[in-house]
Each structure stands twice: as C-alpha cells, then as structure tokens.
Amino acid sequence: MATTVQAYGTPAAGEPLVPVTIEWRETGPHDVSLDILYCGICHSDIHFAQGDFGPLLVSPLVPGHEIVGVVTQVGSAVTRHQVGDRVGSGCMVNSCRQCENCRDGQEQYCLNGHTLAFGSLDRDGTYTQGGFSRAVVANEDFVLRLPQSLDPVSVAPLLCAGITVHAPQRRWGAGPGRHVAVVGPGGLGHLEVKMAGVMGAQVTVLSRSQAKRDAAAQLGADDYVATGDGTAFQRLASTFDIILNTVSAPIDLDAHPGMLRRRALSPRSASPPRR
C-alpha cells in the first residue's frame, strides 16, 4: 500500500515550490523508510526545478538530495539498517547492480542507467521524489548509517557537496606530504579547504582577487594566492600535487595544469574494490 507524504514541490518547470502531497511505494524487501530530519539545498535542485536539465518527468517534482533522517521501517531482507538508525541518502538511490560498472562499485556509471533521488524512473516503474518532504523510501544499498556524534544539520550537505570534493581528494591521495590547490573558496571550495587540511595536506587557495583571503585563513588554508593578473601561474609552476577546481564561472582552465608537479599524474589510492 502506498504511503501519502506531505512535501514541497513544483507543479511545472520554473514554477515556485508549493505544498503538495505525494505517494511513496510500499516498503519493499530491500527498502528502508525514513522520516526526514533535514535536507540540504543544492543548486542542482534549483536547476532541475527550473527545467534547466530538461523537461520534468513527473509533476509535482519534489527536489532534495542531501537527506538526513531516521529509519522508521525496514524491508524483510534488509541487513544494513534497523529502525531508529540515523541515516543519510544522497543524489543516487538505485542502479541495476548487475552491469560491469555497478559490480566495480561505480554505480554512477551504470550501463543501464542509474536512478537519481528525484524526478527519475526507478526500477519498479515509479518516479522518485526528493527530500523536501516528510519521508522517503529508498533501497538499503544507497542509505548510509551516520554516527550519532555528528550534527545532522551539518551532515546533510556532505551527502552531495561534501562527497563531491572528498572523492577526488581521496582518489588522488590528499594527505601528509601533498600540496593541494583549491580553486575558488565558495560553496564547494570551503569544504575542500577544510577536508584537505584534516587529511593532513598543505592547502593553498587560488582566487581571482584578494576578497576571500581572510575567509580562507579562517577555514584553515595555509596560503592564499590571487590569480587575477596572471603572473601567479608562472610563479607557481610545478608546485601542486592536486588541483581541484570548484568554480562554476568561466576561467582559464588551460593555465592551471602547468602548476601541477609531474609526479602528480598518478593516483595514490586504488580504484574501488570489485563487489
């Protein structure tokens, strides 16, 4: 039996979010049901709601993919979670789990198409809805158990923005003895600065002007360089092991690779293990 849930969604692309009622499928054998505590707001939510990524496949569309909640029900075959667990759910909620990419732990590259947190056709033929709602149903494999010690408000953005910057840093071995450059200390960049520092790397923030120097220092950056006049690219040639660009505005991408050290071309960590 479907579950009726109160939410905020848009009835059509470009329309504002309004109170709506949606239905979730019955909790299946491998599903968990969550009461949502918090959900972050990502710019992708706005793009989807405005129709920037294409026509809406479902109306109303309920965005939200940085979800923190409490498990209220588990399916009969669920092994990873139990009622009362504090959990998180991110931008992807399903995949075929059978193709080569899925078996390699790379479900985002599912050859049969992954399922996004909202506005996406799921394997059971229903359309997903997001976290701007009271509750959600998701497959257990795409739900993460969260330590009780973490602040749930702060955790929510880590389920998209956080993993966006953590994954490449982990992949390319940010840590002691590595020098990381963060291009743009904005929404993603400020998380990157903090994470790279916690991982033990030396962190330099690159920004076009001096406007964010104090903010970068407060985040723990070791150095800050304004690149607006173009001279920094020569001065910093062969300086960094990792450069992560978080800027959405157009910048001269061709100017940045020259600041990488030659030995930075090989990742330190292995690919995810084959499942």
Side-chain angles (χ1 to χ4, degrees):
M1 182 177 178
T3 301
T4 300
V5 177
Q6 294 177 317
Y8 278 88
T10 178
E15 295 293 323
L17 300 183
V18 295
V20 298
T21 299
I22 58 175
E23 286 190 346
W24 269 109
R25 67 178 182 271
E26 182 180 355
T27 305
H30 293 279
D31 288 336
V32 295
S33 296
L34 319 177
D35 275 353
I36 296 176
L37 299 176
Y38 301 98
C39 184
I41 300 176
C42 176
H43 211 283
S44 296
D45 298 319
I46 300 171
H47 281 305
F48 268 100
Q50 291 178 337
D52 295 339
F53 295 155
L56 307 187
L57 299 181
V58 60
S59 178
L61 173 75
V62 177
H65 60 275
E66 298 175 335
I67 301 168
V68 171
V70 175
V71 176
T72 57
Q73 186 178 358
V74 298
S76 59
V78 169
T79 59
R80 297 187 176 190
H81 308 286
Q82 58 186 1
V83 173
D85 284 349
R86 182 185 290 173
V87 296
S89 180
C91 60
M92 191 171 61
V93 295
N94 215 341
S95 71
C96 79
R97 247 73 65 76
Q98 301 297 320
C99 70
E100 180 181 5
N101 290 347
C102 284
R103 294 196 307 272
D104 278 344
Q106 298 290 320
E107 292 94 340
Q108 68 271 29
Y109 300 119
C110 176
L111 297 175
N112 296 305
H114 61 258
T115 302
L116 298 176
F118 60 86
S120 187
L121 184 64
D122 208 343
R123 261 56 196 177
D124 64 354
T126 63
Y127 285 93
T128 57
Q129 297 283 17
F132 296 173
S133 58
R134 297 283 188 182
V136 69
V137 177
N139 185 283
E140 66 169 326
D141 290 343
F142 294 87
V143 175
L144 307 172
R145 188 162 61 246
L146 303 176
Q148 290 292 322
S149 59
L150 296 180
D151 175 13
V153 178
S154 301
V155 167
L158 300 182
L159 294 162
C160 178
I163 192 60
T164 296
V165 296
H166 176 68
Q169 291 191 104
R170 182 177 179 183
R171 164 67 172 158
W172 294 95
R178 302 281 265 183
H179 194 169
V180 176
V182 178
V183 184
L188 291 175
H190 87 282
L191 291 174
E192 188 177 325
V193 171
K194 296 176 74 172
M195 288 184 179
V198 169
M199 295 171 76
Q202 181 181 352
V203 183
T204 295
V205 169
L206 305 179
S207 189
R208 290 184 58 82
S209 73
Q210 298 286 353
K212 297 182 179 180
R213 175 179 288 275
D214 291 343
Q218 292 174 2
L219 292 169
D222 298 292
D223 196 8
Y224 183 100
V225 178
T227 61
D229 64 3
T231 61
F233 298 106
Q234 288 74 41
R235 288 190 290 105
L236 298 174
S238 301
T239 295
F240 304 113
D241 300 292
I242 303 169
I243 300 175
L244 292 180
N245 174 33
T246 67
V247 178
S248 58
I251 63 172
D252 185 2
L253 293 177
D254 291 338
H256 290 77
M259 294 189 290
L260 283 171
R261 294 173 178 162
R262 181 189 57 79
R263 66 183 178 88
L265 297 178
S266 299
R268 279 190 172 183
S269 58
S271 299
R274 182 180 292 271
R275 292 184 176 180

